[in-house]
């Protein structure tokens, strides 16, 4: 099992520096986070999407410690034009001149991972169906630019709120956001308040909680906090323990109960 599977396109970047110098290079969250996560010792797989005639996914990761590349075909690639106005590159204008065909759940490899990181570039690269598919398999991480950064007709990018956030945030274990994105998501520029509000956005109704429990027990992911409870020797408080408790047997299928039992036994739980 991989520690992390990173899903996102390799971008074709045209960078124009403040002094007029130009460079063409590959980029994208999957590229930079793939190199970084593998370099610090994690077992990493990447799922880049694009046209292999324009960008070779295997060549992109040839010098990295990424264990496996699962390329997904798209007839188009994501192209970015970045114009920097200062030497520190803090002020810039970005144009998204072309995008990929959106990811679909069928693009996910069969091999499991503990964490699925969604590293899209703009809204539309990946949707709620992919979030649900990943959440059913393992812990899901989301770079929030993939749902907030919207492309205008002229290619300019604009941050807009995520209408489906209350539906999908409960499925996200790890949320990556900067200050500007957090303000759009929560409506406040106070970072601490935004963090607290982000937590409050996650609670769900009882029926949604049961749907999440079923997805968890049917997939590869352990329930939230399972490892922490195992370390503290309190697995009796886990979802898995509830699934094998006779009092709640009617709520779970035999397959779900068997999956829960396997996880508990592998973690050393004693009945």
């Amino acid at each position: 099992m991989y520690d992390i599977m990173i899903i996102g396109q390799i971008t074709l970047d045209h960078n124009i520096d403040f002094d007029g110098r130009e460079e063409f290079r590959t980029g994208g969250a999957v590229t930079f986070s793939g190199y970084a996560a593998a370099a610090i010792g994690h077992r990493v797989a990447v799922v880049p999407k694009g046209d292999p005639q324009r960008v070779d996914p295997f060549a992109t990761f040839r010098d990295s410690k990424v264990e496996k590349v699962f390329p997904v075909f798209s007839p188009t690639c994501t192209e970015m034009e970045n114009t920097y106005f200062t030497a520190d590159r803090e002020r810039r204008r970005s144009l998204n001149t072309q995008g990929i065909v959106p990811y679909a759940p069928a693009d996910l490899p069969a091999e499991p991972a503990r964490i699925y990181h969604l590293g899209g570039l703009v809204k539309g690269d990946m949707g709620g169906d992919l979030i649900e598919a990943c959440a059913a398999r393992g812990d899901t991480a989301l770079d929030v630019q993939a749902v907030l950064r919207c492309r205008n007709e002229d290619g300019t990018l604009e941050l807009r709120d995520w209408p489906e956030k209350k539906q999908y945030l409960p499925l996200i274990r790890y949320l990556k956001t900067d200050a500007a994105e957090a303000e759009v998501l929560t409506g406040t520029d106070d970072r601490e308040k935004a963090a607290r509000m982000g937590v409050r956005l996650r609670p769900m109704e009882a029926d949604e909680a049961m749907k999440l429990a079923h997805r968890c027990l049917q997939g590869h992911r352990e329930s939230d906090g399972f490892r922490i409870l195992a370390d503290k020797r309190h697995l009796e408080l886990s979802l898995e323990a509830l699934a094998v408790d006779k009092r709640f047997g009617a709520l779970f299928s035999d397959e779900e109960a068997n999956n829960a039992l396997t996880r508990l036994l592998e973690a050393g739980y004693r009945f």
Side-chain angles (χ1 to χ4, degrees):
M1 178 181 288
Y2 298 105
D3 294 320
I4 183 169
M5 185 173 288
I6 305 170
I7 302 151
Q9 66 270 52
I10 301 169
T11 62
L12 297 171
D13 293 343
H14 176 198
N15 297 324
I16 306 170
D17 225 334
F18 76 103
D19 57 5
R21 288 182 296 176
E22 299 184 47
E23 67 172 353
F24 295 85
R25 61 180 302 172
T26 55
V30 69
T31 304
F32 300 119
S33 57
Y35 266 80
I40 60 177
H42 294 297
R43 297 194 62 203
V44 177
V46 294
V47 189
K49 190 168 191 174
D51 180 358
Q53 298 298 318
R54 299 193 62 200
V55 56
D56 184 343
F58 296 103
T60 299
F61 293 98
R62 183 175 296 139
D63 297 328
S64 76
K65 294 184 178 180
V66 167
E67 289 193 21
K68 186 74 173 180
V69 178
F70 296 97
V72 181
F73 175 76
S74 169
T76 53
C77 291
T78 293
E79 299 181 14
M80 292 291 297
E81 180 181 290
N82 301 304
T83 302
Y84 298 96
F85 300 109
T86 58
D88 60 9
R89 291 192 166 188
E90 286 297 322
R91 293 184 58 244
R92 69 178 179 180
R93 180 191 65 197
S94 294
L95 296 177
N96 177 209
T97 54
Q98 190 178 67
I100 58 167
V101 172
Y103 277 90
D107 293 332
L108 294 174
E111 286 83 345
R114 295 191 182 280
I115 298 174
Y116 291 82
H117 176 58
L118 302 177
L121 184 74
V122 298
K123 186 177 179 66
D125 289 340
M126 43 192 63
D129 57 347
L130 190 68
I131 294 175
E132 290 178 337
C134 290
R137 293 174 170 226
D139 288 336
T140 303
L142 174 68
D143 187 334
V144 79
Q145 72 175 10
V147 293
L148 293 187
R149 195 154 70 157
C150 300
R151 183 185 183 277
N152 297 315
E153 289 186 4
D154 61 359
T156 57
L157 298 172
E158 178 182 358
L159 293 178
R160 300 176 196 154
D161 198 9
W162 185 18
E164 302 88 2
K165 61 188 177 186
K166 290 187 177 180
Q167 177 180 356
Y168 292 115
L169 275 176
L171 305 181
I172 305 301
R173 180 71 180 275
Y174 307 102
L175 187 69
K176 183 264 180 185
T177 176
D178 62 23
E181 293 162 345
E183 181 176 355
V184 171
L185 199 62
T186 64
T188 178
D189 60 1
D190 184 317
R191 297 186 185 187
E192 292 186 2
K193 184 177 180 181
R196 292 193 297 271
M197 290 181 67
V199 172
R200 288 204 298 273
L201 285 170
R202 291 195 65 190
M204 62 184 79
E205 298 297 327
D207 59 339
E208 290 299 318
M210 282 305 305
K211 289 179 183 178
L212 180 59
H214 290 309
R215 284 195 294 268
C216 176
L217 293 172
Q218 292 168 5
H220 297 290
R221 67 171 294 186
E222 297 164 344
S223 61
D224 286 357
F226 183 88
R227 286 296 162 187
I228 295 174
L229 290 171
D231 291 341
K232 295 183 179 296
R233 299 183 180 181
H234 279 295
L235 279 172
E236 73 277 4
L237 301 177
S238 67
L239 169 64
E240 284 78 2
L242 293 178
V244 298
D245 190 319
K246 292 181 179 180
R247 293 175 297 171
F248 308 109
L251 297 176
F252 303 100
S253 68
D254 289 344
E255 179 186 359
E256 291 168 343
N258 287 334
N259 287 339
L261 179 61
T262 299
R263 295 176 193 173
L264 290 167
L265 293 174
E266 289 178 347
Y269 182 63
R270 295 184 179 181
F271 292 87

